[in-house]
Amino acid sequence: MTRRRLPRGLLVPALLALTFIAVPLLGLLQRAPWSDLGAQVSSPAVGQALGLSLRCSLSAVGLSLAIGVPLAWLLARVQFPGRSLVRALVTLPMVLPPVVGGVALLYAFGRKGLLGQILDHWGITLAFTTNGAVLAETFVALPFMVISAEAGFRQIDPRYEEAAATLGAGPWRRFTRVTLPLVISSLAAGAALTWARALGEFGATITFAGNLQGSTQTMPLAVYVALESNPDVAVVMSLILLTVSVVILVALRDRWLTGR
Amino acid sequence: MQKLVTAGLVDPPRIFARNKLEIAVAPGNPKGITGLADLARPGLKVTLEDASVPAGRYSREAFFKAGVTVKPVSNLLDVKSALLTVTSGEADATIVYVTDVAAAAGKAQGVTIPDTQNVVATYPIAVVKAGKNQEAAKAFVDYLVSGPGQQVLAGHGFLAP
């Protein structure tokens, strides 16, 4: 429920929060080399990094939806032993420093890794590949999807589904016609968070997937590399990434994220 | 360092050590790498440092001198990360400094790059003019460049200036 009148007590902290986020962004905008923006923006490395970032992050969202939503449903609806442990486990990637996450992924899926050894035997390579970048981004972003989706599922009154069941709807029909429409805004919000986290991922990506222009050098990596030799280019690339993200999130608008 | 000298912020720099490149491989050299040319072998996973860092530039210079083209699977941002790809078994070879292979203490083995292909990195040190303790700074520079500091550096594999 949105109100029209501003409660005075909340105004100051809210403005502080907004300022905290806005001032660094203004700093970036102020330092951008506006005069040769055109030359920097049209370099092939930038285009490749941006395209790769978008493709990988969207794949990460897709993967997170595919495996995260079922997990969230189980956590929300099924009382199984060790449920709170599983829930805690799901939040682990958020606590782990991203580079450590990347190292852990290597130990799991790298050439000499736990599962990686088996995959290597079958000729499947994940480290130093684009798929590896998707995996790294999914690893860090999946918790956001699971947590958002679980909260969404918990909020639904189970009586709606029960009513549908008594009227003869099978489980799949109940899920698609009753549950899903009720939870769609939580899923959308989760997807937006997941996408944002995946897009900005650096540490796990560079450690597990590597840094190769065109196949694994996503925008955050390209920005970091540019920072070493040409901070101006780094600023421009960051602004491009920001602009693309803002445009997409604004296009989604409140309508999708809050369901009204 | 050049930026500092041009800005007049430091005393004239002195070289206190030099370093050379070396190929780092897994202990026992399972892939039988004997030189830079071997790194171009198809199917071999080679990592390098990114061209934006000195080690990356020098490695590419060495490849140019050797007339070899190598496509790395990843461009790491520093020598330690590059070495980690080999010590963890994820990559078959990388190029780092001789001091890095020495510091790996058995987790990696070095393959020498001949001087005709190798690149020498020089490390300068200079006293900052605005520093509060000029005497101590100058003493430290002397210690490093011509005093016992040289033995410490040599012990870690650095070349004399």
Side-chain angles (χ1 to χ4, degrees):
Chain A
M1 184 186 64
T2 43
R3 309 162 62 156
R4 284 280 160 183
R5 212 171 39 99
L6 283 172
R8 225 84 56 93
L10 294 177
L11 198 61
V12 171
L15 279 176
L16 267 170
L18 200 59
T19 313
F20 187 43
I21 296 179
V23 174
L25 291 177
L26 287 172
L28 270 182
L29 282 168
Q30 192 238 342
R31 290 295 185 102
W34 294 106
S35 44
D36 32 46
L37 205 65
Q40 319 273 32
V41 162
S42 51
S43 106
V46 174
Q48 274 184 324
L50 189 61
L52 198 61
S53 263
L54 288 173
R55 285 197 309 275
C56 290
S57 57
L58 287 173
S59 303
V61 173
L63 192 55
S64 299
L65 277 167
I67 61 177
V69 173
L71 180 60
W73 195 92
L74 285 174
L75 285 171
R77 295 304 183 77
V78 181
Q79 283 270 50
F80 58 88
R83 185 165 68 160
S84 34
L85 198 65
V86 173
R87 202 178 274 129
L89 196 69
V90 166
T91 60
L92 265 182
M94 294 200 290
V95 178
L96 222 53
V99 173
V100 178
V103 174
L105 284 170
L106 276 179
Y107 290 163
F109 303 110
R111 225 166 36 161
K112 303 267 162 86
L114 273 161
L115 285 181
Q117 286 183 60
I118 307 171
L119 292 172
D120 193 54
H121 198 62
W122 289 338
I124 302 174
T125 318
L126 289 171
F128 302 142
T129 61
T130 314
N131 290 335
V134 174
L135 219 68
E137 291 182 9
T138 308
F139 181 75
V140 297
L142 186 62
F144 291 92
M145 179 66 79
V146 177
I147 290 173
S148 300
E150 197 199 332
F153 285 128
R154 281 181 169 274
Q155 277 169 6
I156 304 175
D157 191 335
R159 285 178 296 177
Y160 289 125
E161 289 156 342
E162 285 163 17
T166 59
L167 291 167
W172 181 247
R173 193 143 182 228
R174 285 204 302 273
F175 183 75
T176 51
R177 299 303 208 92
V178 180
T179 318
L180 214 52
L182 288 171
V183 90
I184 200 90
S185 57
S186 291
L187 291 186
L193 279 175
T194 307
W195 182 66
R197 180 68 187 89
L199 196 63
E201 176 46 38
F202 171 79
T205 313
I206 196 169
T207 311
F208 181 64
N211 176 27
L212 204 64
Q213 208 180 314
S215 77
T216 54
Q217 189 178 71
T218 54
M219 205 62 154
L221 270 62
V223 169
Y224 194 85
V225 168
L227 216 51
E228 294 266 348
S229 51
N230 194 344
D232 278 351
V233 176
V235 171
V236 172
M237 289 167 90
S238 305
L239 286 174
I240 294 174
L241 193 60
L242 277 171
T243 310
V244 170
S245 317
V246 167
V247 163
I248 295 181
L249 287 172
V250 166
L252 287 180
R253 269 180 280 189
D254 297 328
R255 203 156 40 95
W256 287 87
L257 295 178
T258 62
R260 55 193 76 253
Chain B
M1 182 61 81
Q2 194 48 53
K3 287 190 192 160
L4 296 173
V5 172
T6 317
L9 293 170
V10 293
D11 286 349
R14 296 162 75 186
I15 309 291
F16 68 92
R18 290 181 308 146
N19 213 341
K20 279 202 297 195
L21 297 176
E22 199 174 27
I23 303 174
V25 295
N29 199 351
K31 301 279 175 167
I33 296 174
T34 56
L36 288 176
D38 287 336
L39 295 181
R41 217 191 285 161
L44 203 67
K45 288 199 183 172
V46 178
T47 52
L48 292 176
E49 294 80 14
D50 196 81
S52 58
V53 296
R57 282 203 309 275
Y58 300 153
S59 303
R60 285 165 174 84
E61 228 182 279
F63 283 133
F64 183 73
K65 283 189 187 176
V68 171
T69 315
V70 171
K71 286 175 72 170
V73 291
S74 181
N75 294 303
L76 285 309
L77 298 175
D78 56 77
V79 280
K80 292 302 177 201
S81 305
L83 194 58
L84 186 64
T85 60
V86 169
T87 56
S88 68
E90 213 46 56
D92 299 312
T94 187
I95 300 185
V96 291
Y97 296 112
V98 292
T99 49
D100 295 309
V101 178
K107 293 210 190 127
Q109 190 175 311
V111 174
T112 314
I113 300 175
D115 283 346
T116 48
Q117 298 168 349
N118 215 324
V119 176
V120 173
T122 54
Y123 299 99
I125 186 170
V127 174
V128 176
K129 287 185 185 163
K132 294 236 164 71
N133 198 339
Q134 291 288 309
E135 243 183 72
K138 289 185 173 132
F140 180 69
V141 172
D142 287 332
Y143 169 87
L144 210 55
V145 176
S146 44
Q150 279 297 303
Q151 269 131 351
V152 176
L153 289 165
H156 287 275
F158 286 95
L159 300 172

